[in-house]
Amino acid sequence: MGTQMYPIAWTVIATKTKHSWDWFIRYLIADLNLETGEGLIAISDQQKGLVPVLMNLLPNAERRICARHIWSN
Protein backbone atom coordinates (compact mmCIF):
# COMPACT_ATOMS: atom_id res chain seq x y z
CA MET A 1 0.00 0.00 0.00
CA GLY A 2 1.30 3.46 -0.91
CA THR A 3 1.62 6.56 1.20
CA GLN A 4 -0.37 8.84 -1.08
CA MET A 5 -2.98 11.27 0.22
CA TYR A 6 -6.11 12.15 -1.68
CA PRO A 7 -9.44 13.77 -0.85
CA ILE A 8 -12.31 11.32 -0.60
CA ALA A 9 -15.29 13.60 -0.06
CA TRP A 10 -16.41 17.20 0.18
CA THR A 11 -19.63 19.13 0.62
CA VAL A 12 -21.03 22.63 0.36
CA ILE A 13 -22.65 23.98 3.53
CA ALA A 14 -23.95 27.33 4.71
CA THR A 15 -21.74 27.48 7.82
CA LYS A 16 -19.11 25.33 9.50
CA THR A 17 -20.79 24.28 12.73
CA LYS A 18 -20.56 21.23 14.97
CA HIS A 19 -23.96 20.18 13.60
CA SER A 20 -22.89 20.42 9.94
CA TRP A 21 -19.63 18.56 10.66
CA ASP A 22 -21.57 15.86 12.51
CA TRP A 23 -23.91 15.46 9.52
CA PHE A 24 -21.01 15.25 7.06
CA ILE A 25 -18.88 12.83 9.09
CA ARG A 26 -21.86 10.52 9.80
CA TYR A 27 -22.54 10.20 6.05
CA LEU A 28 -18.84 9.64 5.40
CA ILE A 29 -18.71 6.88 8.03
CA ALA A 30 -21.79 5.18 6.59
CA ASP A 31 -20.77 5.48 2.93
CA LEU A 32 -17.18 4.29 3.48
CA ASN A 33 -17.94 1.83 6.29
CA LEU A 34 -15.37 3.50 8.55
CA GLU A 35 -16.76 2.13 11.82
CA THR A 36 -14.61 3.74 14.55
CA GLY A 37 -11.88 5.00 12.23
CA GLU A 38 -9.27 2.29 12.77
CA GLY A 39 -6.47 2.88 10.22
CA LEU A 40 -7.85 6.30 9.18
CA ILE A 41 -5.86 9.52 9.39
CA ALA A 42 -7.90 12.75 9.33
CA ILE A 43 -5.93 15.85 8.34
CA SER A 44 -7.68 19.15 9.01
CA ASP A 45 -7.21 22.80 9.83
CA GLN A 46 -8.43 22.07 13.37
CA GLN A 47 -11.77 23.77 12.71
CA LYS A 48 -13.38 24.04 16.13
CA GLY A 49 -16.57 22.15 15.30
CA LEU A 50 -14.76 19.35 13.52
CA VAL A 51 -12.37 18.24 16.26
CA PRO A 52 -14.99 17.12 18.84
CA VAL A 53 -17.04 15.43 16.10
CA LEU A 54 -14.01 13.42 14.94
CA MET A 55 -13.14 12.49 18.52
CA ASN A 56 -16.72 11.36 19.17
CA LEU A 57 -17.58 9.58 15.92
CA LEU A 58 -14.15 8.28 14.88
CA PRO A 59 -12.38 7.70 18.20
CA ASN A 60 -9.76 5.35 16.70
CA ALA A 61 -8.79 7.62 13.81
CA GLU A 62 -5.51 9.49 14.01
CA ARG A 63 -5.90 13.27 13.80
CA ARG A 64 -3.29 15.53 12.24
CA ILE A 65 -3.06 19.25 11.53
CA CYS A 66 -2.51 20.46 7.98
CA ALA A 67 1.09 21.69 7.65
CA ARG A 68 -0.05 24.79 5.75
CA HIS A 69 -2.23 25.82 8.67
CA ILE A 70 0.55 25.21 11.21
CA TRP A 71 2.92 27.39 9.15
CA SER A 72 0.38 30.21 8.68
CA ASN A 73 -0.42 30.37 12.40
Side-chain angles (χ1 to χ4, degrees):
M1 184 172 191
T3 58
Q4 299 84 10
M5 295 185 305
Y6 54 92
I8 53 174
W10 63 89
T11 188
V12 176
I13 55 173
T15 59
K16 293 186 213 175
T17 64
K18 187 175 177 182
H19 175 75
S20 61
W21 280 119
D22 187 271
W23 172 85
F24 178 72
I25 298 298
R26 285 183 188 275
Y27 273 97
L28 196 65
I29 290 168
D31 288 349
L32 300 178
N33 194 28
L34 298 176
E35 298 178 4
T36 62
E38 187 71 36
L40 178 72
I41 300 173
I43 302 173
S44 75
D45 64 353
Q46 295 296 92
Q47 205 283 328
K48 290 181 178 124
L50 176 59
V51 174
V53 170
L54 288 174
M55 292 174 70
N56 183 47
L57 298 178
L58 295 167
N60 294 324
E62 292 185 44
R63 289 172 299 283
R64 300 288 183 257
I65 302 170
C66 173
R68 180 178 136 325
H69 289 88
I70 292 172
W71 182 80
S72 66
N73 288 328

